[in-house]
C-alpha cells in the first residue's frame, strides 16, 4: 500500500469552510522517524477566527492520528502571546506541559509546550 505520510517529514493539510469551500487555514503534521510522536501546527485566517474552526480541526486531527497511526503522543507549541491558539490547544484536550525560550522570524519569544497522550481526554496530563 502507498504511504500517505512519510515519518520524519511535515505534511500540510488545507482547511476549507464546508459551506463555501473557501480556504480558511491549514494544519501541519510531523511524524517522528519511529512514529511514536506527532507534532501539529495550525493556522486559521483572521476573518475565520473565533468561529470554532481551529478547535474542530485540532480535535479531528488528534482523533485521526490516534486512530490511524501508532503515535503515543501528540505535541504542539505556541507563542505565549497567541491566546487564540492556546485556547484551541486546550479545548482540544492538550495540556500545557512546559515553557521555553525560542526564536521565531528573528524575534525572541516564549513558547508554551502542549501534549496529549493516546487514550487521554481533557482530564489527562
Amino acid at each position: 500500500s502507498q504511504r500517505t505520510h512519510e515519518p520524519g517529514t511535515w505534511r500540510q493539510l488545507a482547511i476549507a469552510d464546508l459551506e463555501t469551500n473557501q480556504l480558511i487555514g491549514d494544519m501541519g503534521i510531523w511524524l517522528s522517524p519511529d512514529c511514536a510522536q506527532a507534532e501539529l501546527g495550525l493556522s486559521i485566517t483572521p476573518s475565520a477566527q473565533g468561529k470554532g474552526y481551529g478547535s474542530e480541526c485540532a480535535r479531528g486531527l488528534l482523533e485521526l492520528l490516534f486512530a490511524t497511526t501508532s503515535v503515543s503522543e501528540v505535541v504542539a507549541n505556541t507563542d505565549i502571546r497567541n491566546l487564540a491558539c492556546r485556547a484551541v490547544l486546550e479545548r482540544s484536550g492538550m495540556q500545557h506541559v512546559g515553557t521555553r525560550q525560542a526564536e521565531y522570524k528573528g524575534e525572541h519569544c516564549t513558547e508554551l509546550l502542549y501534549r496529549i497522550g493516546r487514550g487521554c481526554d481533557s482530564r489527562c496530563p
Side-chain angles (χ1 to χ4, degrees), residues 90-95 115-116 119-125:
E90 291 167 9
R91 280 195 297 268
S92 70
M94 299 188 84
Q95 299 292 311
R115 76 167 293 281
I116 188 169
C120 289
D121 59 23
S122 62
R123 298 177 312 271
C124 186

Side-chain angles (χ1 to χ4, degrees), residues 16-60:
D17 183 307
L18 289 176
E19 293 180 15
T20 66
N21 205 31
Q22 181 178 3
L23 183 65
I24 59 170
D26 74 316
M27 296 186 78
I29 309 162
W30 177 83
L31 289 177
S32 64
D34 64 0
C35 295
Q37 185 182 65
E39 182 173 349
L40 70 87
L42 172 70
S43 179
I44 301 291
T45 191
S47 63
Q49 292 177 3
K51 299 177 182 177
Y53 297 127
S55 297
E56 180 181 0
C57 289
R59 282 191 301 267

Side-chain angles (χ1 to χ4, degrees), residues 101-116:
Q101 297 303 305
E103 186 175 320
Y104 181 70
K105 295 184 179 181
E107 179 184 334
H108 291 284
C109 64
T110 300
E111 287 185 332
L112 300 179
L113 312 174
Y114 288 83
R115 76 167 293 281
I116 188 169

